[in-house]
């Protein structure tokens, strides 16, 4: 989950960029699983859980970035 320490705007942007890249990879993994159904259906919940956690963290970081940029 998101760390409670205050990150700088530059840190937030870098972390958001990394998570966006990982998010793209997870979206493709979900897409590939869906196309291959019913094969590997048992992996869907694990990949979906990782995807949810990543995008949840990404959403929180974007909110933090917006708040910091507006506070400037």
């Amino acid at each position: 989950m998101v760390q409670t320490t205050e990150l700088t705007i530059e840190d937030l942007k870098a972390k958001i960029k990394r998570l966006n890249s990982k998010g793209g990879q997870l979206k493709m993994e979900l897409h590939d699983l869906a196309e291959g159904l019913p094969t590997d259906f048992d992996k869907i919940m694990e990949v979906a859980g990782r995807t949810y956690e990543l995008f949840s963290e990404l959403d929180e970081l974007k909110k933090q970035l917006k708040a910091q940029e507006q506070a400037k």
Side-chain angles (χ1 to χ4, degrees), residues 2-59:
V2 178
Q3 297 174 358
T4 57
T5 58
E6 187 81 14
L7 298 172
T8 67
I9 289 176
E10 293 76 25
D11 292 339
L12 286 168
K13 287 180 179 179
K15 191 161 187 170
I16 288 169
K17 186 176 180 178
R18 283 192 306 274
L19 288 178
N20 272 325
S21 177
K22 287 181 184 180
Q25 292 170 352
L26 285 171
K27 287 191 306 187
M28 287 305 299
E29 193 172 340
L30 279 173
H31 177 266
D32 291 346
L33 280 172
E35 280 192 340
L37 287 173
T39 305
D40 293 330
F41 73 91
D42 55 334
K43 295 180 182 177
I44 292 173
M45 293 303 289
E46 184 266 327
V47 175
R50 287 190 290 133
T51 304
Y52 177 85
E53 289 298 320
L54 182 134
F55 280 97
S56 178
E57 181 177 1
L58 187 56
D59 183 59

